Amino acid sequence: MSQPRVSFRHPPPLCSFLFAIVLLVATFYTLHHPDATPPHLFSPNKHNSLTLRRLFLSSASNATVSSYLHSLTRHPHLAGTKPSLDTLNYVLNHFQSLRLDDTRVAEYEALLSYPTHFSLTARFSNDNTTLEFDLNDDVSSSSDVVMPYHAYSPSGSASGNVVFVNHGEERDYRALEMVGVSVRGCLVLVRKGETLGRGVIVKTAETKGALGVLIYDEKDGGGLGGIERGTVMRGIGDPVTPGWPGVVGGEKLSLEDDLVSKRFPKIPSLPLSLHNAEIILASLARAKAPVEWQTGRVGS
């Protein structure tokens, strides 16, 4: 029996510098690639464009690119946080130091989500023991590392028997039905595959009657013990400004609008490390499983 408890606060729309950072960094590396960006994107004057390109190429080397990457990836910079702003200022100051006087920051407002508290407890029926999982079971203990969470997962708690559903695809649920296993009223454990995104995995589990979803990456962060963070919102872009830029003071949809609410899951979910997932899987060793899973194949 597993009791995941997820408490998730949806803050009001906050100013996000993510888009400005992405735009600046993308431009930063594009300028250093001789074939990446057509000259006319920089200037209507082809001669000025070529001059600008030569200027950047002459000032770049493997050592400088390595230095830039080290500075940009040294700390996590989750959108809307101070480290994110620090990253933006690093890129901005670097551009200005190259005498790019027209460098500007475009400010956008976006609906962001951050974790406040979560926990996961398992009670094993075979020996009646209880285990409180360390959900920060990660290779790094640094305080500035973002807690493992699923962005836009709803607040709430769920408890029930755990059912392993392979990759969480429709054919996996059909395979379980063939052996008489239902996930209704249960928590599902999913090993993330290459086909479905997190949002679709959670939505599919929701339609099958599951109460919550635990997702782990079988590749284990390339064998380094990482936990995959990410969003479970369906679609891309800011949910309250779908299809138009989230400029400051611009039009925004309410959270109650159908266009917004339908993109969010209705059941809570959490990312797990491979280590924690294996503890749960070990307790399910004697449970029924479709033959194709036991042989490493997934039926169609």
Side-chain angles (χ1 to χ4, degrees):
M1 184 75 74
S2 177
Q3 287 189 318
R5 298 192 178 279
V6 183
S7 177
F8 201 92
R9 178 173 61 88
H10 286 284
L14 299 176
C15 177
S16 170
F17 297 96
L18 174 65
F19 305 106
I21 293 172
V22 170
L23 288 173
L24 287 173
V25 173
T27 304
F28 189 47
Y29 288 105
T30 298
L31 289 172
H32 284 80
H33 195 291
D35 301 315
T37 306
H40 68 274
L41 292 182
F42 293 103
S43 168
N45 186 307
K46 184 176 182 180
H47 176 73
N48 289 343
S49 173
L50 292 174
T51 301
L52 181 63
R53 185 179 296 245
R54 292 191 186 101
L55 170 65
F56 271 89
L57 289 176
S58 66
S59 63
S61 67
N62 288 340
T64 57
V65 171
S66 175
S67 174
Y68 303 150
L69 283 174
H70 180 265
S71 297
L72 291 169
T73 61
R74 185 169 53 181
H75 301 291
H77 40 268
L78 184 65
T81 63
K82 185 180 182 301
S84 177
L85 178 60
D86 292 341
T87 303
L88 180 144
N89 287 329
Y90 166 79
V91 178
L92 177 64
N93 292 334
H94 183 77
F95 275 34
Q96 291 175 340
S97 71
L98 296 175
R99 294 179 294 176
L100 296 176
D101 297 330
D102 289 336
T103 303
R104 296 181 298 273
V105 174
E107 188 173 322
Y108 294 89
E109 292 178 334
L111 180 70
L112 305 176
S113 65
Y114 306 98
T116 55
H117 172 75
F118 48 74
S119 64
L120 179 67
T121 304
R123 187 168 69 251
F124 301 102
S125 57
N126 55 351
D127 56 5
N128 201 32
T129 59
T130 300
L131 174 64
E132 181 81 21
F133 286 95
D134 177 9
L135 296 178
N136 286 301
D137 180 24
D138 208 335
V139 293
S140 175
S141 59
S142 174
S143 60
D144 61 354
V145 172
V146 179
M147 291 188 294
Y149 80 108
H150 285 157
Y152 303 104
S153 172
S155 299
S157 62
S159 62
N161 292 324
V162 174
V163 178
F164 176 63
V165 296
N166 201 30
H167 296 304
E169 300 178 20
E170 285 286 351
R171 58 183 176 179
D172 294 323
Y173 288 100
R174 290 198 300 268
L176 284 171
E177 291 171 2
M178 293 289 289
V179 295
V181 177
S182 171
V183 302
R184 184 167 298 278
C186 298
L187 306 176
V188 298
L189 177 63
V190 184
R191 58 175 172 180
K192 191 173 182 297
E194 302 295 333
T195 305
L196 300 183
R198 284 174 295 270
V200 177
I201 289 174
V202 176
K203 178 62 177 178
T204 303
E206 180 184 318
T207 61
K208 302 299 180 182
L211 300 180
V213 183
L214 302 170
I215 303 177
Y216 71 96
D217 184 358
E218 195 170 40
K219 296 179 180 179
D220 191 23
L224 299 177
I227 304 175
E228 185 180 84
R229 285 84 163 158
T231 178
V232 289
M233 179 182 69
R234 295 182 297 281
I236 59 175
D238 177 29
V240 296
T241 56
W244 64 87
V247 296
V248 177
E251 179 185 1
K252 293 177 178 58
L253 301 179
S254 70
L255 291 177
E256 291 73 31
D257 193 292
D258 288 342
L259 289 175
V260 178
S261 61
K262 72 179 182 181
R263 297 179 61 182
F264 300 139
K266 302 297 189 297
I267 59 176
S269 63
L270 277 175
L272 287 185
S273 66
L274 176 60
H275 171 71
N276 283 338
E278 287 177 335
I279 294 175
I280 299 175
L281 288 169
S283 70
L284 304 176
R286 297 182 180 180
K288 287 184 179 180
V291 174
E292 55 266 34
W293 296 1
Q294 297 174 24
T295 58
R297 298 189 307 273
V298 179
S300 58

